Structure formats: structure tokens, C-alpha cells
Amino acid sequence: MAGVEVENGRDDMVIDGCENGQQPKPMQNIVAFDGVNVNYLKLYYGKFFPHADMFKWMSYGNDGKHPGCDHSYFGRREFSFTLDNDIYLRFQSFSGLSEFENAIREKCPFKIDIGPVYNVDPAKRHAYAQSGDNVFTPAERELVFDIDISDYDDVRYCCSGADVCLECWPLMTVAIKVIDSALRDDFGFNHILWVYSGRRGVHCWVCDGKARRLNNEQRSAIADYFRVYKGNENSHKKVSLTGQALHPFLVRAYNDVLKTAFEEKLLLSQNLLSHEERYETILRMIPDESLTSELRAKWGDNRRSKDINTVRWQQLKQLLQSGRQKFQGLRRCVEEIVFSFTYPRIDMEVSRHMNHLLKAPFCIHPKTGRVCVPIDPKNCEEFDPLAVPTLSKLLEELNVESPQSRGHNDWDRTSLGDSVRFFQSSFLQPLLKSCKEEIESSYGAKLQESKNSMSW
């Protein structure tokens, strides 16, 4: 039954993480992985997966404890399960925590994807038209971002495709820093969850009420705000910074994050200027043949020094930014090079549309066995994708009894504990506090409106 799709399959949605059946190459410092064991998955969903916390998150305060709650809210959320043999169960919905948890334990999905909250229960969608007034349509959805390190293959030389190591992972750290800062400072969002995809990238969930209620046009506008990386594999210059002055957001990103990441990490870890075929990629971004010839002459010396990449970068900057360069385009070339190598490369379509499915946090990635754990954006430099707990490691840790661990939650006795606690304290609790305040305020306003209408 390989490849079977159930409940309309993927009629108008894209499921995160599909890779056309390509098999990953063994990753540096990662033990070879031979697939997820179904029996291990059953244990994981029985002992580790934070069903209650996921339910609280997806309910956004609509838990039935306040008269202003929307009792149908959680039941209108779509979940998608990927089962063994690539069987996709679309439009799954659940009335509450118990049904949600029981379904996961029973079906034991290899992957759980989260879709939008619809205007009606997805299970009843067939009773609604696809156009006109009586239509089945998304009503709410988190603003989401998906960033894959494979999209940086033209600027990293240590790995390619889905492979990742500590030499290229700083590209994901840069993306988290740049996007998180802008979402908070430029758009005023507060409740943002960053999650490791389990293999080759990161996901971002913006969960503020005003973010969840954005329409597709507004989502596209926010996605376009971040759009700088352009071009294709045939373009020498994939970033063009036009205008007399950069947008303040881009200036902040360059000064606070990009410049340091390029000069102190990627320039050295990727040896960008110590190999001819690599520095030629950079020289082709300079639209002045006389300058590139001058740099080639300087770099033609075969002698190698320990800091050859740094020396050559300083030579390039000095030449392009010297007083004799009259054209703004040449002086800005340094910034364009840095942006080309470091600026976040967002999957725009994921962010533009409410109906895009995205993998749930705390899933097990079926290709690596790693847990999709949250990432603290304040300390994202410390995140090590190679140290993320695997399914087999968690089960091994669970089997190690110690007097100190007895009586705790199962996940609290393993290396997953810190991730669950971070999710609860830094993301979920502040989010629910805000949601309940919003529900209370809305309920109070409706009561006041009702009183006013009665006082005639």
C-alpha cells in the first residue's frame, strides 16, 4: 500500500518534508540510522510525547473553563498522519484531548502534520461546497516559516542536500536570529516557537492571535518583507541591494548578525577564499573586470597562510570600498556578497498560504530518528543538531533507573526533559496567559454590548 493517500490525499495542501524518495548520505558525526521502529514509536507516544501540552497549545485557551470559550475550536483543527508504507491520513480532527491522544497512540504515526483551523469540523467538509457562500475554508492558522539548509547548497562546501554538520549549521542560527528579531521588533509578535525539523532545517510558528487571523494576502506581504535572496543556479549575483540606502531592517540584520557570521564563521569554516573555484564564485559577483583581475593577481600566489581567507577578504573589502570607487553599486558589493552567503532563505509558499501543513513539534523524524525539539532563539548559538535526542537514545535512558529519577515524568528522566520544560515555561505558559486575557476581554466586551442594547 505504499504511497496511498486517504481522505482526499493532498488536494490543495503541501506536506512538509517530502524528498522524492531520495536517501540521505551518512552525516558527519551522526551514527547511521536504519529507520524508525514501529514498536519504539509506540513506546515514544505512550511515554514521551507531550499530548496534553500539544492540546493546550492548539486550543489557545478554548479549554471550556471560561464562558467565552469557543468549544468547537480544537475540533476544527486539521491534523495529518503519515503512517507506515507512506499512507497519509488527511483531515483528521478530534473533539478533545482524550480522542487526540488515543488516536495518536492507536495509529502510531511516523509523522504528524498540523494544518489550519477550519470554519467547520474537517470531518464534515463533504457537506460544504468548494465555492460560493456555504464553503469549507480555513479560518485561522499560525504564521509559519520553513527554512531548509539544502537551499544553501551553493554557498556551503562541507555538506549538501539534507546533510548537515556543525560547520554549516550556523546558517540556521543566522536565520533564527534575523527572522525572530524582525518578527518581534518590526511586527510586534510575542509568541514565537522555533523548532528543529529533525534533519535539515528549522520551522517557525508565530502564534499571536493577530498572526493566526492573517489572510493569505497579509501573509504574503510579511513573507515578501523578508525576501532578499533571488536568482537561480545560473545567476552570478543572487542578491541585489538597490536604492541609495538599505531598509533599516536589512541594516540591522547586516550589522547585528550577518557580517559577524560571515567573517568569523563561514568565511573560515567553508574556506571561501582559499580555493580558486570558490573565490571565483565571489569574484563573479563583482561587476567590474578590472577589479576582479586585480584581485586574481593578488590571489594567484600559491603560498598559503593560516589566515588566508581573512587576509583575502580584507583585500577585497579594501579594494571595493576604497575612495576611488565612485559607484555606489561597487561599494555595496561587499554587503551583497555577505547577504548572498548568509541571509535567510525562506520557503515563501509555506508562509504565504493558510492551508500549508507543517510537521508538529516533538515528532520523530523518520529519516534520522531525531526528535523535533524546540530551539531557544535567545541561545540558538548553543543549539547542536548533532546532540538532539534520538528515539533509541531516549529509550536507552528510560531503562536506566536511578533513585533521583523515580516519580518524575518519563520524559523528565531523559535528555528530552529540558526541551519539554522549555516548551512549557518559555512558550506555552505565556501564550495561554495572553489567550485567556484575550478571551476574557472579548467576553466582557460582548456582555457590555448586550447590556447597552437592553438599556433603552
Side-chain angles (χ1 to χ4, degrees):
M1 295 183 65
V4 173
E5 298 179 19
V6 182
E7 295 291 332
N8 281 0
R10 306 175 186 171
D11 52 359
D12 63 347
M13 298 193 185
V14 181
I15 294 182
D16 161 67
C18 297
E19 298 177 325
N20 301 320
Q22 295 181 352
Q23 295 300 314
K25 296 186 298 182
M27 288 188 256
Q28 181 183 1
N29 298 329
I30 291 185
V31 177
F33 180 71
D34 59 0
V36 171
N37 182 298
V38 177
N39 292 323
Y40 283 6
L41 265 183
K42 289 180 178 178
L43 287 171
Y44 177 78
Y45 285 127
K47 293 182 175 293
F48 297 104
F49 189 78
H51 301 89
D53 289 328
M54 292 293 289
F55 171 76
K56 289 177 183 178
W57 171 28
M58 292 286 104
S59 297
Y60 289 101
N62 293 290
D63 53 7
K65 297 178 181 179
H66 190 279
C69 286
D70 179 353
H71 294 272
S72 72
Y73 187 89
F74 182 79
R76 292 187 282 116
R77 170 78 70 169
E78 181 196 359
F79 295 88
S80 168
F81 291 170
T82 303
L83 308 185
D84 198 7
N85 293 322
D86 283 341
I87 297 174
Y88 303 105
L89 300 181
R90 286 286 313 281
F91 298 111
Q92 304 294 290
S93 61
F94 311 102
S95 61
L97 171 59
S98 178
E99 188 176 338
F100 175 62
E101 181 172 354
N102 289 340
I104 292 176
R105 287 174 181 255
E106 176 188 345
K107 292 185 171 67
C108 201
F110 278 60
K111 186 157 75 89
I112 302 171
D113 288 285
I114 299 175
V117 176
Y118 283 90
N119 57 333
V120 295
D121 182 346
K124 301 176 182 177
R125 69 193 180 283
H126 294 303
Y128 290 78
Q130 297 303 308
S131 61
D133 296 331
N134 190 29
V135 65
F136 172 66
T137 186
E140 278 193 19
R141 205 276 185 273
E142 296 81 7
L143 174 64
V144 294
F145 297 89
D146 182 7
I147 307 165
D148 288 337
I149 204 161
S150 55
D151 290 332
Y152 295 75
D153 277 359
D154 62 312
V155 295
R156 62 177 184 144
Y157 299 96
C158 51
C159 302
S160 64
D163 292 358
V164 63
C165 71
L166 296 181
E167 301 295 336
C168 56
W169 185 257
L171 289 164
M172 296 295 96
T173 302
V174 167
I176 293 172
K177 286 183 173 182
V178 169
I179 296 173
D180 189 81
S181 172
L183 289 172
R184 296 178 192 275
D185 298 340
D186 300 347
F187 292 97
F189 297 127
N190 296 305
H191 305 291
I192 302 171
L193 178 67
W194 286 94
V195 182
Y196 172 49
S197 72
R199 188 181 186 190
R200 61 176 179 174
V202 293
H203 299 157
C204 176
W205 301 75
V206 187
C207 302
D208 300 63
K210 61 182 180 180
R212 303 197 309 274
R213 291 186 283 271
L214 293 170
N215 60 35
N216 286 342
E217 290 73 21
Q218 293 165 330
R219 292 165 193 268
S220 293
I222 293 177
D224 285 336
Y225 181 83
F226 291 104
R227 187 171 187 175
V228 169
Y229 179 76
K230 300 175 182 178
N232 54 47
E233 63 271 13
N234 298 317
S235 305
H236 294 323
K237 191 175 180 181
K238 300 189 179 182
V239 170
S240 181
L241 303 176
T242 57
Q244 291 297 314
L246 292 181
H247 189 284
F249 157 61
L250 297 181
V251 173
R252 187 174 71 240
Y254 181 80
N255 291 331
D256 295 351
V257 183
L258 305 184
K259 183 173 181 289
T260 300
F262 180 85
E263 295 185 344
E264 296 184 5
K265 294 184 181 296
L266 294 172
L267 184 66
L268 306 176
S269 68
Q270 302 299 317
N271 288 303
L272 296 180
L273 295 177
S274 61
H275 299 278
E276 181 177 356
E277 67 276 11
R278 297 182 189 180
Y279 70 62
E280 280 295 334
T281 299
I282 292 177
L283 292 181
R284 284 195 292 269
M285 298 180 190
I286 303 173
D288 189 308
E289 183 59 36
S290 64
L291 295 182
T292 56
S293 296
E294 186 173 342
L295 287 170
R296 283 192 189 94
K298 288 177 181 290
W299 299 349
D301 190 338
N302 290 326
R303 289 178 297 176
R304 291 287 185 268
S305 63
K306 186 176 181 180
D307 56 351
I308 187 67
N309 292 284
T310 301
V311 169
R312 288 178 172 176
W313 177 245
Q314 293 302 322
Q315 290 172 340
L316 183 149
K317 287 201 301 182
Q318 184 176 6
L319 188 60
L320 288 178
Q321 297 178 334
S322 65
R324 63 190 173 102
Q325 306 305 333
K326 297 180 180 180
F327 300 105
Q328 177 71 18
L330 284 176
R331 297 177 64 84
R332 184 159 287 171
C333 223
V334 171
E335 296 169 347
E336 289 179 341
I337 292 169
V338 172
F339 270 85
S340 294
F341 278 80
T342 60
Y343 188 78
R345 302 183 180 187
I346 298 169
D347 186 333
M348 301 293 285
E349 294 308 307
V350 173
S351 303
R352 291 182 191 276
H353 304 293
M354 294 179 72
N355 61 1
H356 199 290
L357 291 159
L358 195 63
K359 183 161 66 262
F362 295 105
C363 280
I364 302 293
H365 196 291
K367 297 285 182 67
T368 65
R370 296 190 180 276
V371 186
C372 301
V373 296
I375 300 173
D376 182 358
K378 296 178 182 177
N379 300 296
C380 53
E381 302 96 335
E382 301 174 9
F383 182 80
D384 180 357
L386 309 183
V388 170
T390 63
L391 177 54
S392 56
K393 181 182 179 183
L394 292 178
L395 296 178
E396 289 174 5
E397 292 172 343
L398 190 63
N399 288 330
V400 179
E401 279 287 347
S402 67
Q404 292 80 14
S405 68
R406 291 172 186 158
H408 291 182
N409 293 311
D410 285 325
W411 50 258
D412 212 18
R413 296 159 50 192
T414 70
S415 52
L416 188 62
D418 288 341
S419 295
V420 177
R421 282 189 294 271
F422 170 78
F423 177 81
Q424 292 172 335
S425 62
S426 296
F427 170 72
L428 186 58
Q429 291 173 10
L431 172 65
L432 294 182
K433 181 176 183 293
S434 174
C435 290
K436 290 178 180 179
E437 289 172 354
E438 184 177 343
I439 290 173
E440 178 66 37
S441 176
S442 176
Y443 182 70
K446 288 180 180 178
L447 286 181
Q448 187 60 48
E449 182 180 350
S450 178
K451 289 180 180 178
N452 293 339
S453 65
M454 297 289 290
S455 59
W456 50 276

